[in-house]
Amino acid sequence: MKSFIFATNNAHKIEEVKNILNQNNDEFLIRSLEDENIHFDIPEPFDSIEENACEKARVIYSYTGKNCFAEDTGLEVESLNGEPGVKSARYAGEGKSSEDNIKKLLAGLENASNRKARFKTIICLIINSEEYTFEGICKGMIINEKRGNAGFGYDAVFIPDGSSNTFAEMTMAEKNIYSHRRKAVDGLVNYLKSMK
């Protein structure tokens, strides 16, 4: 069984990624930063999702010397010129409040006819000092008000193409049919399996 540190403090992301990986017959053991007794915030200083994902992985690999991966995800809204993008978690301020972020997003789209958006996830894997990236994209649209109680972040206002439900109205299994994070994790898993 291959063991990796998932370089995040976000419990929702850990649950989601473990759920995806567990569908692969438990070939991979994922340890969180808390499992590793790592309690510092990892900086996200860059202007791109990919650079921030790789920075998080590099910090943890340098600190532990253990194989690890990190991810960064952004919501890119067409009529907002790609915002909130790399600043998705802190769109309304450093408090990382999903409620405030959604309010700011909906206010910015109040008079917009184009509500197309996409979630983009980049996973950066560092294994044996080598670095690899995997991308997942989910296209959809932003609705006018929140619907659903599941999920996290912007899930309650995002409907993926091919569905009439928001991510927050879906079970984890339903969300994984469309999920950007699922697509990126699939890329990671396929690569790891190819290493055998």
Side-chain angles (χ1 to χ4, degrees), residues 23-190:
Q23 295 169 18
N24 290 281
N25 302 317
D26 294 322
E27 289 180 52
F28 310 106
L29 175 66
I30 303 302
R31 293 183 59 78
S32 68
L33 293 181
E34 188 171 345
D35 292 335
E36 292 287 321
N37 204 28
I38 298 170
H39 299 290
F40 55 83
D41 275 333
I42 307 170
E44 299 176 275
F46 297 107
D47 293 327
S48 80
I49 291 168
E50 183 169 340
E51 285 177 301
N52 282 331
C54 290
E55 175 69 9
K56 288 186 273 190
R58 289 170 193 148
V59 167
I60 295 306
Y61 188 79
S62 175
Y63 184 75
T64 65
K66 296 179 181 178
N67 294 334
C68 67
F69 65 90
E71 69 91 67
D72 200 30
T73 294
L75 174 67
E76 300 173 337
V77 181
E78 223 172 73
S79 63
L80 297 177
N81 299 312
E83 286 189 0
V86 73
K87 295 182 172 62
S88 291
R90 298 176 174 83
Y91 193 40
E94 289 300 315
K96 294 186 179 180
S97 164
S98 293
E99 192 73 29
D100 291 345
N101 289 339
I102 287 174
K103 283 180 184 174
K104 181 174 179 179
L105 177 69
L106 295 182
L109 288 172
E110 193 171 2
N111 299 310
S113 56
N114 177 5
R115 303 182 75 89
K116 290 181 183 176
R118 68 177 195 170
F119 275 114
K120 178 180 177 180
T121 291
I122 298 288
I123 289 177
C124 180
L125 167 71
I126 301 181
I127 183 167
N128 303 326
S129 299
E130 296 289 329
E131 200 171 287
Y132 307 89
T133 58
F134 309 92
E135 180 182 83
I137 288 174
C138 176
K139 296 181 179 180
M141 62 172 285
I142 304 297
I143 58 172
N144 293 313
E145 57 186 13
K146 291 168 60 179
R147 282 183 6 211
N149 299 307
F152 63 102
Y154 297 91
D155 284 359
V157 293
F158 181 84
I159 295 179
D161 288 350
S163 178
S164 57
N165 292 328
T166 68
F167 273 161
E169 294 176 300
M170 297 180 183
T171 65
M172 186 88 72
E174 290 169 337
K175 182 180 179 181
N176 283 339
I177 294 169
Y178 305 95
S179 168
H180 45 292
R181 194 166 288 110
R182 169 66 189 259
K183 292 170 185 173
V185 172
D186 281 350
L188 169 70
V189 168
N190 289 337

